[in-house]
Amino acid sequence: MDKLDLKKQFRDLFNPSKQDFAEIAVPTLTYVKVDGSGDPNTAAEYRTAVEWLYGVSYAMKFAAKNGLGRDYVVPPLEALWWSDDPGAFVRREKDRWQWTVMIMVPDFVTRSMFEDAVAKTLAKRSDPPASLRLEPYAEGRSLQILHIGRYDDEGPVLKQLHDTVMPGHGVTFNGPHHEIYLSDPRKTEPTRLRTILRQPIRAISTEIRS
């Protein structure tokens, strides 16, 4: 049985340059998601969200393998981050962050498979997060770069993006900051962590309003 690897299917999305921000067009993709807020290093709801995402994702993987004869590699963890003050990211004021953690799902996984996976995971864990859901996400035009190093060293890279790269491209924000975690922090030296930093963008309107 062939095993689908979404990182290879969407190679352009998962292999950015580590030197410069590059523009890409992200298609609409489906994810299992959970929302929350607070410091991901200390917030219990963040840990619970991640545990549920992996539990449901692996249950769907095995359901697809056994029921459809289609196997796939569970993709890496991703997260959307935002705050009422965008500068909170550059300053790493994590208590002020809001987030959606998520894992991509192949298009052959059905909603009934998701619901069955939630029921199976519930048999092993406490009640699921209220925001747990399966839904499409459309980012479209985006800028992204590969960051190698500690998560807390992302600040200068994001400052460059916000203050130099985006104005230079004539674009502004069109959605929350997006991170894709290619490394397992439990097994990887912090200075070698590989994280994709992505920002959906749109052109700055040049219309003159009367």
Side-chain angles (χ1 to χ4, degrees):
M1 182 187 302
D2 292 335
K3 182 180 290 189
L4 173 66
D5 188 338
L6 292 168
K7 297 195 304 300
K8 295 179 180 178
Q9 179 178 345
F10 299 103
R11 190 176 301 275
D12 290 348
L13 306 185
F14 288 94
N15 290 279
S17 166
K18 63 180 180 180
Q19 305 297 331
D20 301 297
F21 280 93
E23 185 170 325
I24 58 167
V26 184
T28 300
L29 300 166
T30 301
Y31 292 86
V32 56
K33 299 179 177 180
V34 177
D35 302 326
S37 62
D39 187 340
N41 296 314
T42 58
E45 66 176 318
Y46 183 87
R47 182 171 59 254
T48 298
V50 172
E51 290 172 350
W52 264 92
L53 285 182
Y54 277 109
V56 170
S57 293
Y58 275 98
M60 291 188 296
K61 165 190 166 67
F62 293 127
K65 182 177 180 179
N66 296 328
L68 303 177
R70 304 187 72 174
D71 195 9
Y72 66 95
V73 179
V74 172
L77 182 71
E78 307 186 29
L80 308 177
W81 302 95
W82 69 97
S83 173
D84 292 337
D85 174 13
F89 290 103
V90 175
R91 297 188 298 270
R92 314 307 286 174
E93 296 171 356
K94 300 177 184 179
D95 288 341
R96 301 175 63 184
W97 292 0
Q98 299 178 66
W99 40 263
T100 296
V101 283
M102 57 193 198
I103 294 178
M104 193 188 301
V105 177
D107 57 10
F108 53 77
V109 171
T110 65
R111 182 158 300 278
S112 64
M113 291 168 64
F114 166 72
E115 293 169 353
D116 289 345
V118 171
K120 289 180 180 178
T121 306
L122 182 58
K124 303 175 183 178
R125 301 190 180 279
S126 57
D127 289 344
S131 61
L132 177 67
R133 63 198 184 278
L134 180 72
E135 69 177 13
Y137 182 58
E139 280 184 301
R141 186 183 180 192
S142 300
L143 289 167
Q144 69 175 21
I145 195 170
L146 177 64
H147 173 72
I148 300 178
R150 294 179 173 88
Y151 300 135
D152 283 339
D153 291 340
E154 294 172 7
V157 182
L158 297 178
K159 181 174 176 59
Q160 178 193 18
L161 172 66
H162 300 167
D163 297 349
T164 304
V165 178
M166 291 172 63
H169 281 70
V171 298
T172 190
F173 300 94
N174 193 36
H177 171 66
H178 186 169
E179 297 189 354
I180 302 171
Y181 306 105
L182 302 179
S183 305
D184 185 340
R186 300 169 301 176
K187 303 175 181 178
T188 307
E189 164 65 33
T191 58
R192 299 178 66 84
L193 291 169
R194 299 169 69 250
T195 308
I196 297 173
L197 308 181
R198 181 183 297 164
Q199 178 59 56
I201 55 172
R202 60 177 175 81
I204 297 173
S205 175
T206 57
E207 269 184 32
I208 299 176
R209 298 181 182 276
S210 56

